[in-house]
Amino acid sequence: MNSYFRNGSFLRLKLEGQGVERFITLCGNRRLPLWEIRAEGKYCFVNIHYRDWEQGKELLQKTGTQAAIVTKHGLPFLLPGLKSRILFLIAGLLAVGWLAYSTRLIWHIEFDGNYSISEDQLTDFLAQRGIWVGVPKSSLDLESLEKELRQEFSLITWTSGRINGTVLEISIKENERPNVTMPVLSVEEATGLYASADGVIVSIYVRNGVSAVSRGDEVQKGDLLVDGRIPVVNEDGETDHYLLYEADADVLIETVQQVSYSLDKVYIAKEYTGREGSGLWLSLDQSLYRLPRTGAKWKEKEQLLEPSFTVTLFDRQLGFGIFEVREYQSVEKSYTLEEAEAILRAEFQKNNAILEEKGVQIISENVTMEENENSFLLRGGDDRTLRRGGEQDHH
């Protein structure tokens, strides 16, 4: 058994006796690492590396400490169990071999940036040059492919090809079409820009249309901000008719937003029992298979997957790796005021970050924390914000 397997393996021990503390001290003196040390009644649970187990047994005898192995982790303990499932092992090895070979092939082709040129046209072009799903990566000359794409399609001004895992990604850029002047709209098509929230106009910059408000004006949600109807005045100074357009403007509104977040005092937490297990997992798309099915009869457990290999095969995701499973019990616990405030403030700041991504600027905050019989409440009252307000609608 090589050192790599030994170094990555460990035992979970249950210690009993009057010499437990002395055993832990001697392990520290001899630089034998112990971790996840937890006392439960008259027992003490610790983890120890498999490579240190022989020395650990000598110290157990020396201190008169009784030890029982609760769980074993790592491939050295997993492989003996697989001997009774030799067919599964052979199938797994064949699958690993096939997956390793399949990584040398292209199993998916993606196009990006094509708007006028269809994917069917690009796929046919690649097929004529012997490039399709299943072709070896080594047979691809991406530089020549990029040049041929530009020669074949006059609309393409730039192209780039790269291999990402088992995917061939082709990005292209097409000629930009010349700008076309927007025609005057009909009465039914003309639009205005209306306030999306109550507030005060901070600034307004009109690109198209006529401003219906000025800086400092108070508006309510739904008020007209920019009119898409531009009046045409005759010689007498009277409106002869209107030119109808789609209103367009940058409007900044200062508004007040009141928010609140609540959190129940009682919540369900996990308490781990110390029972653990590990093994191999295989996956096909959304289906997951574990070998062996450790902890299948445990009432509550959490499963940790450590992916080590994935591949796209005929547009299907295949993978395998090592899993760990831990048993736990659900227990009721209560938040303290400090814990609840930290959680609710984090939620409050998360909401502010979302608003800022949408162009809303937070000017001031007025946050208060309240504690009720069954919950905690955080209020953000009269928080002043600057937001780009305006919704288009037909007149």
Side-chain angles (χ1 to χ4, degrees):
M1 188 176 301
N2 60 45
S3 60
Y4 174 80
F5 290 155
R6 293 172 64 90
N7 292 340
S9 306
F10 66 93
L11 305 173
R12 182 69 172 171
L13 303 180
K14 182 174 71 173
L15 306 179
E16 180 183 6
Q18 298 181 353
V20 172
E21 293 184 1
R22 187 184 175 200
F23 168 75
I24 295 174
T25 301
L26 291 177
C27 287
N29 294 337
R30 298 195 181 186
R31 296 183 179 181
L32 302 181
L34 302 177
W35 68 97
E36 291 191 15
I37 302 175
R38 185 173 73 246
E40 295 184 4
K42 65 177 182 179
Y43 300 109
C44 181
F45 294 86
V46 300
N47 291 347
I48 184 172
H49 283 298
Y50 178 62
R51 65 173 181 267
D52 300 328
W53 177 229
E54 292 299 327
Q55 297 185 53
K57 288 192 289 187
E58 296 177 2
L59 297 180
L60 289 171
Q61 294 178 354
K62 184 175 181 179
T63 59
T65 303
Q66 299 178 358
I69 298 175
V70 179
T71 55
K72 302 178 181 179
H73 302 265
L75 288 177
F77 312 111
L78 178 63
L79 293 177
L82 294 178
K83 291 181 180 179
S84 59
R85 301 176 176 86
I86 189 64
L87 292 180
F88 290 100
L89 180 60
I90 293 175
L93 294 176
L94 291 176
V96 170
W98 166 248
L99 292 175
Y101 169 73
S102 65
T103 58
R104 302 181 180 182
L105 308 178
I106 294 295
W107 293 114
H108 189 60
I109 301 176
E110 292 183 355
F111 301 100
D112 179 53
N114 57 306
Y115 301 102
S116 300
I117 305 173
S118 68
E119 290 193 5
D120 290 339
Q121 289 177 284
L122 294 173
T123 302
D124 292 340
F125 169 80
L126 295 180
Q128 293 173 4
R129 283 151 182 79
I131 302 175
W132 49 72
V133 172
V135 69
K137 298 179 185 178
S138 58
S139 65
L140 298 180
D141 185 349
L142 297 181
E143 185 176 349
S144 297
L145 177 61
E146 294 169 359
K147 182 178 179 181
E148 291 175 359
L149 278 169
R150 292 191 296 269
Q151 292 175 347
E152 178 71 17
F153 301 96
S154 58
L155 194 60
I156 296 178
T157 59
W158 172 87
T159 181
S160 173
R162 74 187 188 101
I163 298 174
N164 183 11
T166 60
V167 179
L168 173 60
E169 299 178 349
I170 298 178
S171 301
I172 66 175
K173 184 176 182 181
E174 301 175 350
N175 273 325
E176 295 183 358
R177 298 180 177 179
N179 293 329
V180 180
T181 303
M182 185 65 66
V184 177
L185 304 178
S186 65
V187 175
E188 294 78 10
E189 294 173 327
T191 62
L193 198 63
Y194 297 85
S196 60
D198 298 347
V200 178
I201 301 296
V202 176
S203 66
I204 180 168
Y205 174 75
V206 180
R207 296 190 185 89
N208 209 7
V210 179
S211 176
V213 295
S214 302
R215 180 179 178 183
D217 290 349
E218 292 187 5
V219 296
Q220 295 183 350
K221 183 176 181 180
D223 287 353
L224 178 64
L225 303 179
V226 179
D227 196 343
R229 301 173 301 175
I230 301 178
V232 178
V233 181
N234 58 23
E235 295 179 355
D236 298 329
E238 298 178 352
T239 301
D240 183 69
H241 63 278
Y242 290 90
L243 297 178
L244 307 178
Y245 294 94
E246 182 178 334
D248 184 19
D250 280 340
V251 184
L252 198 61
I253 299 178
E254 180 180 326
T255 184
V256 175
Q257 179 177 359
Q258 296 182 345
V259 296
S260 63
Y261 302 92
S262 63
L263 180 69
D264 292 336
K265 285 187 175 181
V266 178
Y267 67 98
I268 302 300
K270 296 179 181 179
E271 283 194 356
Y272 296 94
T273 64
R275 297 173 65 184
E276 301 176 348
S278 60
L280 294 175
W281 64 263
L282 299 173
S283 68
L284 176 61
D285 293 334
Q286 301 299 322
S287 299
L288 181 68
Y289 307 95
R290 297 185 305 172
L291 182 68
R293 294 182 57 81
T294 304
K297 296 183 179 180
W298 294 348
K299 184 177 180 180
E300 294 180 306
K301 59 182 180 295
E302 70 175 13
Q303 180 175 282
L304 304 176
L305 302 181
E306 299 180 4
S308 59
F309 189 85
T310 57
V311 64
T312 302
L313 181 63
F314 295 111
D315 291 333
R316 306 190 72 178
Q317 291 291 330
L318 302 176
F320 75 94
I322 298 175
F323 74 87
E324 290 188 0
V325 62
R326 301 174 183 175
E327 184 187 32
Y328 67 87
Q329 294 178 345
S330 297
V331 296
E332 286 190 355
K333 292 188 176 181
S334 299
Y335 289 112
T336 64
L337 179 61
E338 292 76 13
E339 292 173 338
E341 184 173 2
I343 295 173
L344 292 176
R345 282 190 175 273
E347 188 67 21
F348 178 72
Q349 295 301 329
K350 180 180 178 181
N351 179 70
N352 288 350
I354 294 175
L355 291 177
E356 291 175 354
E357 289 180 358
K358 296 179 179 180
V360 178
Q361 179 184 350
I362 311 298
I363 300 177
S364 64
E365 300 175 357
N366 182 18
V367 180
T368 59
M369 187 73 182
E370 301 176 9
E371 181 178 359
N372 301 322
E373 182 179 355
N374 299 319
S375 63
F376 297 97
L377 183 66
L378 183 142
R379 296 182 184 274
D382 299 335
D383 297 339
R384 297 175 62 209
T385 64
L386 287 177
R387 64 178 65 222
R388 299 195 178 277
E391 298 176 346
Q392 285 189 348
D393 197 2
H394 293 281
H395 290 279

